[in-house]
């Protein structure tokens, strides 16, 4: 039993205060204090609206406004004493406001509930994260464009099944990620448009009998409009799930790129050198330079996708409208947002700093019979063979090179003619990797000229 007195905010009907365990499971202040600025912005908009509609006197509204600014500066300055007994950020702020301005503080909650308040605060917080994600993606795309432009004509192997497939260009590979992060950017932007409706004024769930102006508060908080259904407004967390969904897909892209950097920076590949600024050493093996940043980026998807699944599970099966379950929405989103922003920034830094090893890339591009398709295409184009036959002839020549322990360009013309007598020495032109990539001029292909067109297209898009 506790001899604590009941809660001053809602304890009218309670004879006793909560058990310590009840307080511990109930309180969200340990994490929702991250929404302090949003909470105070929401309260300021609400108070200004209450005055404009004549629900509050201008004197009270002014006292509230001043008091909220003081509370904000106390929180920002670190002197604010957060209290678990006051449960959450909403009641911590209001309680402190009461200490500072007295009676008018109690009028702030007119026509409002913590249900629309928390939905508003959280939406404002998530909206800021969409904006931060947009900035992070743009910076990362710029870094990739820099690499693509510098290396538009550097040859490297292109892979399928992680087996050498055809030569491609470094710029083309970088631009593949520009497309991926570009889609993330578009997902961020359309999710932000969809979520930008204000829950404030939905009150507990049914709206309010006070003559509030929801359009006014929506506008003051940068929302496009008030949400149209009060029940939905307090029980909707789609915006957080949209955020986690977009973050999950983007983290998946980041993890794929991170994995390539881990492979590429190994002694076996030596495709790239990561900078010292984004690598670490080993405490026992002096030669080591480890791609830890890439590995951690590769791993962040686990937490982000976990948050996505976690919040889905919290929300599934909840009856309308607000249930306390929904307090479990925030920590996962906070953690996922932090992880995503950090992963994007680390990737941007690595991409800016990394150096492609052009020589290794070129040597590797020519290995593994990477121009076999070019040879088959030549047989079709010059000798008029059906592609299936050309495929077979080329396969025979690959087998011959493999037996001899050499690459396709190392076969002699006699070797070639022994398989198909009409092959001429011109065939050797298409067996070079540079010619191979130059020839892939189809739209979106790997030819340096095509890569430069795509770099320019993205520069125009981002202007
Ligand atoms: N701390 C709560 C949350 O994060 C605020 C809303 C509480 N509302 C209520 N009626 N108990 O969800």
């Amino acid at each position: 039993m506790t001899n604590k007195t009941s809660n001053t905010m809602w304890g009218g009907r309670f004879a006793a205060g909560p058990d310590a365990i009840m307080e511990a499971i109930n309180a969200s202040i340990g994490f929702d204090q991250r929404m302090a600025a949003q909470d105070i912005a929401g309260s300021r908009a609400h108070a200004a609206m209450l005055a404009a509609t004549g629900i509050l006197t201008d004197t009270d509204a002014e006292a509230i406004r001043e008091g909220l600014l003081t509370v904000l500066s106390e929180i920002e300055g670190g002197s604010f004493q957060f209290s678990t007994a006051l449960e959450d950020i909403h009641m911590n702020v209001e309680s402190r406001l009461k200490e500072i301005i007295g009676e008018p503080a109690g009028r702030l909650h007119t026509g409002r509930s913590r249900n629309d308040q928390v939905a508003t605060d959280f939406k404002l917080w998530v909206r800021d994260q969409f904006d931060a994600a947009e900035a992070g993606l743009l910076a990362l795309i710029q870094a990739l464009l820099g690499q693509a432009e510098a290396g538009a004509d550097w040859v490297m192997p292109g892979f399928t099944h992680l087996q050498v497939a055809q030569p491609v260009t470094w710029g083309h590979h970088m631009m593949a990620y520009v497309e991926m992060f570009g889609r993330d950017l578009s997902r961020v932007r359309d999710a932000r448009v969809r979520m930008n409706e204000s829950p404030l004024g939905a009150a507990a769930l049914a709206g309010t009998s006070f003559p509030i102006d929801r359009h006014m508060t929506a506008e003051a908080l940068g929302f496009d409009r008030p949400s149209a259904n009060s029940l939905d407004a307090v029980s909707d967390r789609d915006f957080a799930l949209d955020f986690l969904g977009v973050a999950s897909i983007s983290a998946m892209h980041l993890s794929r790129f991170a994995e390539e950097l881990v492979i590429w920076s190994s002694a076996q590949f030596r495709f790239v050198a990561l900078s010292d600024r984004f690598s670490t050493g080993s405490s026992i093996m002096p030669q080591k330079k480890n791609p830890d940043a890439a590995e951690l980026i590769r791993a962040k998807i686990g937490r982000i996708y976990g948050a996505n699944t976690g919040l889905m599970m919290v929300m599934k099966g909840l009856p309308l409208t607000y249930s306390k379950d929904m307090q479990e929405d925030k920590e996962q989103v906070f953690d996922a947002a932090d992880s995503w922003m950090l992963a994007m920034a680390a990737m941007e830094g690595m991409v800016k700093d990394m150096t492609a090893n052009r020589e290794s890339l070129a040597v590797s591009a020519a290995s593994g019979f990477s121009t076999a398709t070019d040879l088959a295409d030549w047989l079709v184009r010059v000798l008029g063979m059906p592609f299936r036959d050309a495929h077979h002839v080329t396969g025979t020549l690959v087998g011959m090179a493999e037996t001899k322990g050499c690459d396709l360009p190392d076969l002699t013309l006699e070797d070639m003619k022994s398989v198909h007598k009409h092959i001429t020495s011109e065939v050797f032109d298409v067996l070079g990797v540079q010619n191979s990539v130059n020839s892939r001029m189809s739209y979106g292909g790997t030819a340096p000229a095509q890569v430069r067109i795509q770099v320019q297209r993205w520069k125009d898009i981002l202007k």
Side-chain angles (χ1 to χ4, degrees):
M1 277 295 268
T2 171
N3 57 7
K4 270 179 149 177
T5 51
S6 64
N7 190 297
T8 54
M9 296 281 167
W10 48 246
R13 62 165 291 179
F14 286 77
D19 188 271
I21 300 290
M22 178 61 209
E23 196 171 286
I25 195 172
N26 197 37
S28 54
I29 188 61
F31 47 89
D32 69 11
Q33 53 183 271
R34 268 189 89 160
M35 308 191 305
Q38 289 77 10
D39 190 71
I40 288 171
S43 288
R44 287 182 59 192
H46 184 65
M49 179 278 291
L50 291 177
T53 50
I55 300 167
L56 272 194
T57 64
D58 287 343
T59 322
D60 283 348
E62 182 52 23
I64 290 170
R65 197 187 80 86
E66 292 281 323
L68 286 170
L69 288 175
T70 306
V71 175
L72 182 61
S73 68
E74 287 177 0
I75 293 173
E76 285 174 351
S79 65
F80 191 96
Q81 292 293 316
F82 291 104
S83 150
T84 311
L86 289 166
E87 279 183 43
D88 56 25
I89 186 62
H90 325 295
M91 298 205 294
N92 269 266
V93 168
E94 192 185 315
S95 167
R96 178 68 187 133
L97 183 68
K98 179 132 193 258
E99 285 172 9
I100 299 170
I101 68 167
E103 194 255 9
R107 300 181 186 280
L108 172 59
H109 215 51
T110 314
R112 181 178 83 168
S113 153
R114 273 189 297 156
N115 296 348
D116 61 338
Q117 199 180 354
V118 72
T120 305
D121 293 5
F122 195 31
K123 256 197 174 179
L124 290 172
W125 194 90
V126 170
R127 196 177 68 185
D128 284 349
Q129 297 302 308
F130 273 121
D131 293 341
E134 172 167 7
L137 286 166
L138 284 169
L140 176 53
I141 289 171
Q142 293 289 0
L144 286 162
L145 287 175
Q147 285 286 351
E149 198 163 29
D153 59 358
W154 303 348
V155 289
M156 67 179 284
F159 299 91
T160 60
H161 315 269
L162 200 55
Q163 306 287 321
V164 171
Q166 294 173 346
V168 296
T169 50
W170 172 260
H172 199 48
H173 202 109
M174 294 300 120
M175 291 307 289
Y177 283 102
V178 168
E179 292 295 326
M180 291 149 85
F181 295 121
R183 285 194 295 276
D184 294 341
L185 185 63
S186 104
R187 271 185 280 272
V188 163
R189 286 174 173 163
D190 62 41
R192 192 196 188 285
V193 169
R194 185 161 44 251
M195 63 101 70
N196 205 28
E197 293 183 343
S198 173
L200 194 57
L205 75 165
T208 174
S209 57
F210 290 99
I212 61 170
D213 182 349
R214 293 191 61 209
H215 291 87
M216 182 180 167
T217 46
E219 194 184 330
L221 295 169
F223 288 110
D224 295 327
R225 65 191 78 83
S227 53
N229 183 296
S230 62
L231 302 176
D232 176 51
V234 295
S235 68
D236 164 42
R237 293 295 181 272
D238 291 5
F239 58 95
L241 287 164
D242 254 352
F243 178 78
L244 294 174
V246 174
S248 295
I249 294 176
S250 183
M252 175 271 288
H253 292 150
L254 286 163
S255 79
R256 294 181 73 174
F257 195 16
E259 167 67 354
E260 296 207 303
L261 294 179
V262 170
I263 295 173
W264 292 356
S265 62
S266 68
Q268 287 69 26
F269 271 74
R270 295 196 336 105
F271 282 7
V272 290
L274 300 176
S275 74
D276 288 355
R277 296 180 348 126
F278 286 94
S279 311
T280 59
S282 156
S283 55
I284 177 168
M285 297 166 284
Q287 86 284 10
K288 291 282 292 239
K289 186 168 157 187
N290 294 328
D292 293 38
E295 294 170 77
L296 288 162
I297 293 169
R298 187 172 61 186
K300 292 291 184 199
I301 173 83
R303 305 167 68 140
I304 295 170
Y305 200 75
N308 190 22
T309 311
L311 185 53
M312 273 291 191
M313 290 302 106
V314 167
M315 295 306 295
K316 81 167 275 295
L318 286 186
L320 298 189
T321 55
Y322 180 86
S323 297
K324 199 61 175 264
D325 309 52
M326 289 162 67
Q327 180 166 285
E328 290 291 318
D329 57 359
K330 285 174 269 307
E331 280 170 291
Q332 324 201 40
V333 175
F334 292 164
D335 185 72
D338 291 345
S339 299
W340 186 24
M341 302 308 152
L342 190 55
M344 276 190 284
M347 186 58 93
E348 183 209 343
M350 276 200 301
V351 170
K352 270 190 186 151
D353 276 19
M354 72 185 177
T355 316
N357 187 340
R358 291 181 62 180
E359 211 168 313
S360 295
L361 289 169
V363 169
S364 185
S367 72
F369 315 110
S370 66
T371 51
T373 316
D374 298 85
L375 172 54
D377 287 350
W378 184 89
L379 295 171
V380 170
R381 201 171 49 246
V382 179
L383 302 186
M385 259 187 214
F387 182 78
R388 279 292 152 228
D389 298 347
H391 186 284
H392 191 79
V393 168
T394 307
T396 309
L397 287 167
V398 167
M400 180 184 277
E402 202 161 35
T403 311
K404 289 185 138 195
C406 67
D407 272 311
L408 278 178
D410 307 321
L411 290 175
T412 63
L413 185 58
E414 278 58 51
D415 294 333
M416 301 264 188
K417 281 183 180 297
S418 75
V419 175
H420 194 279
K421 63 177 191 291
H422 296 308
I423 297 179
T424 68
S425 61
E426 276 167 45
V427 76
F428 289 100
D429 290 347
V430 301
L431 297 181
V433 288
Q434 198 72 53
N435 287 340
S436 167
V437 296
N438 288 347
S439 72
R440 293 213 154 62
M441 273 296 286
S442 50
Y443 181 84
T446 200
Q450 284 298 326
V451 172
R452 291 191 183 103
I453 286 171
Q454 294 302 328
V455 169
Q456 192 52 50
R457 185 175 71 85
W458 272 99
K459 283 185 169 175
D460 293 342
I461 291 171
L462 300 180
K463 233 180 242 159

